[in-house]
Amino acid sequence: MEVEVIASKKRWASGLPLRVLTPGPDRVAPPCGHYLRCGGCSLQHLAYAAQLRAKGRIVTEALRRIGQVEALVEGPEPSPSQLHYRTRATFHLRRLPADRIVAGFNEVGRPGRILDVGTGCLVLSPALAAGWTELRQAWGVGARRLPAGRELRLTLREVEQGVVLTVAGGHGAGDAGSLVERAPSLKAVWAVREDGGTTRLAGEARPAEAGGVGPLGPGAFTQVNPAAARFLVDWVGECAGAAIAGVDVLDAYAGAGAFGRALKARGAHVLAIEADGHAAAAARVAGLTVLEGKVEDRLSEALPVGFAVLNPPRSGLDAGVSAQLERAGPPRMAYVSCDPATLARDLRALRSYAVEWVRTLDMFPQTAHVECVVSLDRRRPTTDLPAVAPGATELPQPTGE
């Protein structure tokens, strides 16, 4: 293949394809007409079985190179749906002169440019695709029914019988009430304030979340592929073991408490830590005790426990969290990760824990992202390793999530 190199680092380089000289045996025709320019997906040119193999190699190499962990990586478990699985997506909107609008995803390799994506995005759930089509039709000339501002980020999240829109980067309310009236699927419009909080502009205050989670605020984290996310809950339960009833459990970075709720149903005493107020409220409604705030600020209040679930954001664990777990962490933990590089870095920092098993899940088909669950056991400490070198997680970041 001929490529145009667009970035070159010490450990990796990236480029844009110019011409396929000899197609590989796993190359297929991308099903989406936007694929060659759109940054939303990056693997549609690979047969699905080849996508899974590639993701397994990504995890294995990250654990070995960054974490110095030699472990059998199981999977990835295929997603129940390879297309039409996303129940949450963020679009970029840019207002141009003469009331022109471009709205869609960033172009591949050119993050400053927006590829206008109308109907036909193949990874959106049917409800999300319908909501996006209705929103585009309803926002009016120059998208004036949306908040003002040249650049907006529009996040659509599926709820029962529709979608919720959260607008970031703008100001004012636009004509949100009219927007909800004109887009039948749109149940609510929220705006992100400069202080990071959210304000409801129109519609229902707490539409019921799809999948039976219960009402959630606009900023609460939810998995974008609920059908696949069930595997994560099952695997975390397996990490916890059969004798979890009566055990004190910490659900760190809890979100709405999906893992904690499942363990509580088995008789565990669950304490959750969550920074987002909307998600913390949903976890409390589900019966969990919640410490609201950042894990690095509240962890000392939660320890000691008999078992912990770690589900940090893509940036991984704060160094202070790893240090506290090394000093006073539980005998067993489950680490749920959406980034193999930061997962490997954190496993290397958690020297007192041995990796029992690693399982992977294809949460994001057609992209290079992969979800991992690692079972950790303190009773069999790992061999001492040198300190993590600066920049140890410097791997090319795939696009698409």
Side-chain angles (χ1 to χ4, degrees):
M1 175 178 287
E2 292 181 356
V3 299
E4 175 190 358
V5 177
I6 59 174
S8 181
K9 302 294 183 180
K10 181 178 179 181
R11 301 185 182 184
W12 57 270
S14 62
L16 296 176
L18 298 177
R19 185 164 64 100
V20 176
L21 302 178
T22 304
D26 295 318
R27 179 171 285 274
V28 298
C32 178
H34 297 299
Y35 176 68
L36 293 180
R37 293 179 59 200
C38 182
C41 296
S42 56
L43 294 182
Q44 282 192 19
H45 64 284
L46 281 182
Y48 190 58
Q51 292 185 29
L52 297 178
R53 291 195 299 270
K55 295 181 184 190
R57 289 195 299 270
I58 288 172
V59 176
T60 298
E61 292 175 6
L63 293 181
R64 180 182 298 124
R65 291 170 49 196
I66 299 171
Q68 296 191 0
V69 173
E70 295 289 343
L72 176 64
V73 175
E74 302 177 35
E77 179 73 29
S79 170
S81 299
Q82 299 171 26
L83 299 171
H84 307 298
Y85 63 87
R86 288 195 73 111
T87 60
R88 188 182 74 249
T90 296
F91 302 88
H92 299 271
L93 181 146
R94 180 175 295 155
R95 290 183 168 102
L96 303 173
D99 286 329
R100 290 179 297 142
I101 295 294
V102 58
F105 299 117
N106 289 330
E107 286 198 20
V108 61
R110 296 182 173 91
R113 299 181 62 177
I114 298 173
L115 176 68
D116 197 81
V117 177
T119 60
C121 177
L122 296 183
V123 296
L124 302 183
S125 71
L128 213 64
W132 176 237
T133 298
E134 291 177 9
L135 178 62
R136 292 176 64 98
Q137 294 171 346
W139 63 37
V141 176
R144 290 173 190 165
R145 295 191 180 99
L146 292 171
R150 183 173 184 269
E151 304 271 352
L152 302 178
R153 293 188 306 281
L154 309 176
T155 298
L156 287 175
R157 191 179 78 239
E158 182 177 342
V159 296
E160 288 187 3
Q161 300 178 339
V163 296
V164 167
L165 169 66
T166 302
V167 183
H171 53 88
D175 189 1
S178 179
L179 197 64
V180 170
E181 292 175 1
R182 292 167 180 268
S185 295
L186 194 58
K187 301 305 177 185
V189 180
W190 292 73
V192 179
R193 301 190 303 267
E194 290 185 1
D195 63 2
T198 50
T199 299
R200 181 168 59 93
L201 302 180
E204 302 175 30
R206 292 287 187 274
E209 196 74 14
V213 175
L216 287 178
F221 173 80
T222 54
Q223 294 287 1
V224 304
N225 187 344
R230 291 196 293 266
F231 289 102
L232 301 181
V233 175
D234 291 343
W235 294 346
V236 166
E238 189 173 332
C239 290
I244 197 64
V247 174
D248 291 330
V249 169
L250 170 63
D251 186 359
Y253 313 91
F259 299 120
R261 292 198 310 272
L263 295 173
K264 184 177 185 292
R266 293 173 51 191
H269 305 303
V270 180
L271 176 63
I273 303 178
E274 173 54 41
D276 178 77
H278 295 295
R284 291 190 183 99
V285 170
L288 302 185
T289 301
V290 182
L291 295 177
E292 192 167 332
K294 296 181 179 180
V295 173
E296 50 265 35
D297 296 333
R298 307 299 302 265
L299 181 58
S300 61
E301 303 171 56
L303 298 176
V305 293
F307 179 73
V309 184
L310 308 175
N311 185 21
R314 190 171 299 279
S315 56
L317 301 179
D318 179 87
V321 171
S322 299
Q324 287 189 68
L325 292 172
E326 277 291 283
R327 290 193 302 269
R332 295 184 58 78
M333 296 194 299
Y335 189 135
V336 183
S337 171
C338 60
D339 188 285
T342 55
L343 168 66
R345 178 204 65 197
D346 293 342
L347 293 181
R348 190 168 174 181
L350 296 170
R351 305 181 187 189
S352 296
Y353 289 87
V355 173
E356 288 195 312
W357 48 258
V358 180
R359 291 182 186 162
T360 54
L361 171 65
D362 189 21
M363 184 76 80
F364 306 97
Q366 316 306 331
T367 80
H369 296 290
V370 59
E371 202 86 5
C372 305
V373 176
V374 181
S375 180
L376 298 171
D377 189 345
R378 194 181 186 97
R379 290 165 293 184
R380 297 184 292 106
T382 57
T383 304
D384 284 344
L385 295 173
V388 180
T393 61
E394 188 177 310
L395 292 177
Q397 296 300 307
T399 60
E401 203 268 314

